[in-house]
Amino acid sequence: MDAGGGLSLAELYERNWRRLARLAALLVDDRGVGEDIVQEAFIALHRAWDPSRSEASALAFLRTVVVNRSRSVLRHRGVVRRHQATLRLEEGVVSDPADAVGDSEVVTALRSLPRRMQEVLVLRYWDDLSEAETAAALGISTGTVKSSASRGLAKLEKMLEGRR
């Protein structure tokens, strides 16, 4: 606790860093990059820190930053991959340096879904956020969360149906 009786930034970090790092790692499929994203999120929170801020509010801020920075990383990877495709023609195969978070069939199937569905499913079911919290973290409506989750689960079930 800080001197004013509220939650300190250090306590918030201690309680939530690991969970947020796993969330980021799932979103970007790279543990190290996920950890960097969470560090950046805490730096952003530190810059805007208000000791009277509730833990729920701080976590919502952190999740939003993690999701947005994860999107930026994925966009950057897309640009790099397009550039690498050009290089492959000239120099041969260029490997992808991403450090995979998991190789399970579920994670593999999840990766094949559209990005927004992946984000909704990871936040809603892995991070156990409510529909409203998921919507706030992604900057979308609750209805979009509901429909994306429903469609995403149906697609995952269909992809994994024959593998049980």
Side-chain angles (χ1 to χ4, degrees):
M1 295 286 192
D2 68 8
L7 185 70
S8 74
L9 187 58
E11 288 173 316
L12 186 68
Y13 182 88
E14 223 173 278
R15 290 182 191 176
N16 297 286
W17 182 87
R18 185 176 317 273
R19 180 177 178 194
L20 289 167
R22 285 187 300 220
L23 169 64
L26 278 169
L27 291 173
V28 298
D29 199 23
D30 185 317
R31 178 174 285 131
V33 172
E35 289 173 356
D36 290 345
I37 288 169
V38 173
Q39 291 298 94
E40 292 170 11
F42 272 99
I43 290 168
L45 179 63
H46 181 269
R47 288 183 179 134
W49 183 246
D50 176 4
S52 65
R53 177 180 241 161
S54 71
E55 183 172 8
S57 169
L59 281 173
F61 176 89
L62 288 166
R63 274 193 294 273
T64 299
V65 172
V66 166
V67 168
N68 287 338
R69 301 246 168 136
S70 295
R71 286 176 178 165
S72 293
V73 165
L74 294 173
R75 274 193 303 273
H76 177 73
R77 278 189 194 159
V79 170
V80 169
R81 285 186 181 129
R82 283 190 294 279
H83 180 67
Q84 285 177 341
T86 305
L87 293 176
R88 283 186 197 122
L89 295 174
E90 299 168 6
E91 301 172 9
V93 177
V94 177
S95 64
D96 183 359
D99 174 28
V101 170
D103 295 324
S104 76
E105 291 179 27
V106 174
V107 172
T108 301
L110 181 68
R111 291 275 170 245
S112 71
L113 296 176
R115 187 193 75 214
R116 174 64 49 87
M117 269 186 202
Q118 289 179 39
E119 293 169 350
V120 167
L121 292 174
V122 168
L123 288 169
R124 181 77 178 98
Y125 299 107
W126 180 84
D127 205 26
D128 201 28
L129 298 184
S130 69
E131 290 167 344
E133 291 170 323
T134 302
L138 296 174
I140 59 177
S141 71
T142 304
T144 302
V145 169
K146 289 178 185 180
S147 62
S148 293
S150 176
R151 287 193 308 265
L153 288 174
K155 285 183 177 189
L156 281 177
E157 186 176 336
K158 188 172 184 175
M159 283 187 267
L160 298 171
E161 199 170 73
R163 299 178 187 180
R164 293 183 196 168

